[in-house]
Amino acid sequence: MAALISHIFSSSALLSLGLYHLICTTRNHLKSPREYTVKPYHPFPLSSSPRLKHLQLYLLIFSLLIATAHQTLTSTDSDPLLKGSTPVHRFSSLQSSAVLFLFLILSFSLLLSETTSLLPFPSDLFFAIASAIFFLQFSVSSSSASVQVSDLQAKCDSVSARVSALSSLLCLLLACQPKLFVADVGLGASFCLQGLWALQTGLTLYVEGFIPEGCHRLLDVVSGVEGSTKCDLEESRLRAVAILDLVFVIHVLFVVVIVMVIYAVVAKTVGIRRFGSYEALPNLQLGDSNHVQMKSIAGTQA
């Protein structure tokens, strides 16, 4: 149950972060597309208090603290697993805890940069460091998937690694091209996708109704930290992997719909309506247009 709660908590934090980033990014771009520049942090709107202004950073740091503590405690679990006296999950949990701790340091540095003058943090440096940490997360998730006993856990970690690689690439693009609106929207969408997949992982591994047919949880593992699910037949494993691939595509489609709806709602709220990339020419008064036409005719006759 603790593992499922952890996945739900991670999903809520990532999904809310992604939605907030998408809304703020779209709003800033629609208000001033020519002066648009990516920002690593968007202050909370309609807040006169400095504390409420940085509410997003406080919540992010709080969430990262809980996630880091959970991964560290998971590494000390003493369940009788299948790989001897040194369970593999201890190392993978410690690696995940270290990556989360790096994100915590990055978020805390951003808070210091926003609230004090001790650490001026340029945006390109922030996104470059974030890209490196996301790539490290991709590496950790990939290695965890390769040594997992659980067939479903390995597949879930593999998909999560791909999303982390996408986030790393988008952060690198934003570090090099700070006016790239598409990459900024893609980064927010990747947060939403990672949050939805974290929820899907928790349901697939720890809720009986979501475990694919032919697979089951191992009863000798109390906490379900490793080897929590197993497929008895190769056919069942391939079927479960195909189902997870289909579910991932559905999540991607859902995120695309979210991006389109947010753009439409924010555009209507801001009051900007676009028809292509062309701007309407200013209307000329009747007298001015006649004057221009007469000058053109006179010039031709001469």
Side-chain angles (χ1 to χ4, degrees), residues 111-178:
L111 179 62
L112 287 179
S113 177
E114 291 288 334
T115 57
T116 66
S117 59
L118 298 177
L119 184 63
F121 212 169
S123 299
D124 52 353
L125 179 60
F126 173 87
F127 283 111
I129 296 176
S131 176
I133 300 177
F134 274 120
F135 185 79
L136 181 61
Q137 188 180 33
F138 158 73
S139 177
V140 169
S141 299
S142 298
S143 61
S144 176
S146 62
V147 299
Q148 276 289 343
V149 175
S150 170
D151 298 322
L152 299 183
Q153 179 74 60
K155 180 60 181 179
C156 292
D157 288 345
S158 176
V159 173
S160 179
R162 297 175 191 174
V163 181
S164 298
L166 175 62
S167 300
S168 176
L169 177 61
L170 291 172
C171 286
L172 184 61
L173 287 175
L174 292 176
C176 300
Q177 298 290 335

Side-chain angles (χ1 to χ4, degrees), residues 1 4 152 200-219 221-222 228-230:
M1 182 60 71
L4 177 60
L152 299 183
Q200 183 65 47
T201 299
L203 295 176
T204 302
L205 297 178
Y206 306 108
V207 179
E208 293 292 341
F210 287 88
I211 297 178
E213 184 180 355
C215 304
H216 59 88
R217 297 183 62 186
L218 297 180
L219 300 179
V221 181
V222 179
S228 55
T229 56
K230 191 69 177 176

Side-chain angles (χ1 to χ4, degrees), residues 29-216:
H29 181 263
L30 288 176
K31 278 193 168 184
S32 53
R34 294 183 179 180
E35 294 80 14
Y36 174 80
T37 304
V38 297
K39 297 180 180 179
Y41 164 70
H42 300 278
F44 193 73
L46 304 177
S47 60
S48 58
S49 174
R51 294 183 178 180
L52 290 179
K53 183 179 180 181
H54 303 99
L55 179 62
Q56 178 198 5
L57 285 178
Y58 289 127
L59 293 176
L60 180 60
I61 291 174
F62 175 73
S63 300
L64 288 172
L65 277 173
I66 294 180
T68 304
H70 176 265
Q71 289 294 334
T72 305
L73 291 175
T74 301
S75 66
T76 64
D77 199 291
S78 58
D79 279 336
L81 301 176
L82 303 177
K83 293 194 175 181
S85 59
T86 307
V88 175
H89 84 273
R90 292 189 176 180
F91 299 105
S92 59
S93 297
L94 285 175
Q95 289 175 349
S96 300
S97 177
V99 172
L100 290 172
F101 186 70
L102 288 176
F103 278 118
L104 179 62
I105 293 177
L106 185 62
S107 301
F108 187 72
S109 301
L110 184 58
L111 179 62
L112 287 179
S113 177
E114 291 288 334
T115 57
T116 66
S117 59
L118 298 177
L119 184 63
F121 212 169
S123 299
D124 52 353
L125 179 60
F126 173 87
F127 283 111
I129 296 176
S131 176
I133 300 177
F134 274 120
F135 185 79
L136 181 61
Q137 188 180 33
F138 158 73
S139 177
V140 169
S141 299
S142 298
S143 61
S144 176
S146 62
V147 299
Q148 276 289 343
V149 175
S150 170
D151 298 322
L152 299 183
Q153 179 74 60
K155 180 60 181 179
C156 292
D157 288 345
S158 176
V159 173
S160 179
R162 297 175 191 174
V163 181
S164 298
L166 175 62
S167 300
S168 176
L169 177 61
L170 291 172
C171 286
L172 184 61
L173 287 175
L174 292 176
C176 300
Q177 298 290 335
K179 292 184 175 296
L180 197 57
F181 169 69
V182 176
D184 205 10
V185 170
L187 183 61
S190 69
F191 291 156
C192 293
L193 184 59
Q194 192 73 269
L196 291 175
W197 190 249
L199 177 62
Q200 183 65 47
T201 299
L203 295 176
T204 302
L205 297 178
Y206 306 108
V207 179
E208 293 292 341
F210 287 88
I211 297 178
E213 184 180 355
C215 304
H216 59 88

